[in-house]
Amino acid sequence: MKHLFTIIIYLLPLTSLAQFELDSLKKKWENVGREAIEGVYALSGDSRSYSIALAKDQDIYKLVYLEGGLENWVYGDLKGMIAKSEEMYEGRWNAGKPTKPNLEDIKIVFGNKKFILYWSDWSIDEFKMIYPEKAQEPTDMDQVFMDQAFKRDEISIPIQLSDSGSVEIPIMVNDVLKIYVGLEKTSNEVIVSKDIAKTLIQTKTLGYKEWKEGNYYYFIDEDKAFEPPHVFNLNSLALGEGQLTNLEAVISDEISRSMVISFDVLERFGKVNIDMDKLLLTIKP
């Protein structure tokens, strides 16, 4: 949520100059093309009804008054300016008169041919596109806002250190076993101890059909000696909100480690950073 409150400051011109000529703007959209959010929008309410044009100008988007019931506003007046800011668009809006601006911070979330304008007091107005496409009902703008504004950019997961000082991360194996595992630079995707493999067998999430190499029935027979190699498929390995499936696991007879995964497997979850001071693993999907 740290980006949600970033304020982008624009100084709106104090003079009342026409920013866009609508017919020329329409020809530009028809000939050159337009971005999906560009167009003419209308606000219809009990006390205020008016239309604006939203068009890109270099790296920002201008909101220009066209017509309606706003006193002292005329065709072509610049009403606001916004720019993309992580999860949404942010900028300034002139809530006063063109000659006496009252600039207010605004946030905008776009939906299906609509946008919600969030004022600084978090009241809202809904603008619907009327050109070149027309907004259709229904669009759950509250859900659009929740999906975009509160979407995590990254996931932070607490880690721990083993007795030897190596990093261990918490994972969920086959949706049944939560365990801290070590990280290694190894050609094997996953290495597990005999005890871990037998625990998965007891939970009914590992069986003959997952076995790739070695004799499954010899492995589960307590009277038979362990004869590597034994290789099987893990159905799933979850870390935070991410999940990988069908990983190849090799059974080791070393009792000093219960389970390790390779750095290559960890990086499949996303861009990884390990903060040893805070003991946090951060993943950016």
Side-chain angles (χ1 to χ4, degrees):
M1 290 297 295
K2 60 184 178 180
H3 300 299
L4 184 60
F5 299 102
T6 301
I7 297 175
I8 300 175
I9 299 177
Y10 299 103
L11 295 178
L12 300 181
L14 300 183
T15 55
S16 182
L17 300 175
Q19 297 290 320
F20 298 120
E21 201 287 310
L22 187 56
D23 288 339
S24 298
L25 191 58
K26 288 180 178 180
K27 289 181 180 179
K28 176 184 175 182
W29 287 338
E30 291 172 0
N31 296 330
V32 181
R34 67 180 182 90
E35 295 191 10
I37 64 173
E38 290 186 283
V40 177
Y41 292 81
L43 170 69
S44 298
D46 296 335
S47 59
R48 294 169 301 146
S49 296
Y50 59 93
S51 62
I52 58 172
L54 187 155
K56 190 171 185 179
D57 186 1
Q58 297 184 23
D59 293 330
I60 63 172
Y61 296 86
K62 291 183 176 180
L63 297 151
V64 176
Y65 182 78
L66 296 178
E67 61 181 354
L70 295 185
E71 187 178 0
N72 299 309
W73 287 86
V74 299
Y75 173 90
D77 283 342
L78 180 62
K79 199 79 176 74
M81 299 169 71
I82 58 173
K84 190 75 166 64
S85 177
E86 297 298 334
E87 298 91 351
M88 58 175 59
Y89 291 76
E90 302 182 23
R92 306 299 292 279
W93 180 275
N94 186 2
K97 300 177 181 179
T99 53
K100 294 183 178 180
N102 177 19
L103 302 186
E104 183 172 351
D105 298 326
I106 59 171
K107 305 176 192 298
I108 287 179
V109 178
F110 287 90
N112 182 20
K113 302 178 184 62
K114 301 179 185 179
F115 69 78
I116 290 289
L117 190 153
Y118 287 80
W119 303 101
S120 55
D121 63 357
W122 289 100
S123 59
I124 64 172
D125 277 322
E126 180 182 67
F127 289 78
K128 299 179 181 179
M129 185 181 287
I130 57 176
Y131 180 89
E133 301 176 82
K134 190 172 181 181
Q136 302 294 324
E137 296 290 355
T139 297
D140 188 346
M141 294 302 296
D142 286 338
Q143 187 61 49
V144 171
F145 180 74
M146 291 292 289
D147 290 343
Q148 295 299 319
F150 296 103
K151 184 170 60 178
R152 289 182 178 177
D153 285 336
E154 58 187 26
I155 301 168
S156 295
I157 300 168
I159 61 177
Q160 68 180 24
L161 300 180
S162 68
D163 293 338
S164 63
S166 59
V167 171
E168 294 183 333
I169 63 174
I171 63 169
M172 180 71 76
V173 183
N174 284 1
D175 292 325
V176 294
L177 179 62
K178 188 171 184 180
I179 184 174
Y180 275 86
V181 304
L183 300 172
E184 284 192 9
K185 292 182 179 179
T186 172
S187 59
N188 300 120
E189 292 182 322
V190 181
I191 301 174
V192 302
S193 67
K194 292 183 289 183
D195 287 342
I196 293 293
K198 289 181 178 180
T199 298
L200 295 177
I201 291 172
Q202 291 170 357
T203 62
K204 308 297 184 183
T205 63
L206 172 59
Y208 176 78
K209 67 178 182 179
E210 284 81 24
W211 224 254
K212 296 183 63 177
E213 188 174 353
N215 191 307
Y216 170 74
Y217 295 105
Y218 272 51
F219 178 76
I220 63 176
D221 190 338
E222 297 292 341
D223 295 328
K224 300 291 185 181
F226 179 76
E227 296 181 1
H230 284 287
V231 182
F232 64 89
N233 277 339
L234 278 179
N235 292 328
S236 68
L237 190 150
L239 174 62
E241 297 176 3
Q243 186 178 74
L244 302 176
T245 59
N246 294 323
L247 294 172
E248 186 175 273
V250 176
I251 302 175
S252 169
D253 60 352
E254 293 184 34
I255 61 174
S256 60
R257 57 184 180 181
S258 62
M259 183 170 179
V260 298
I261 64 173
S262 70
F263 282 101
D264 173 66
V265 168
L266 180 62
E267 290 173 346
R268 295 179 202 174
F269 287 98
K271 186 176 180 180
V272 175
N273 180 66
I274 298 177
D275 189 327
M276 296 298 292
D277 293 328
K278 297 180 180 178
L279 289 180
L280 280 178
L281 170 70
T282 302
I283 299 176
K284 191 176 183 66

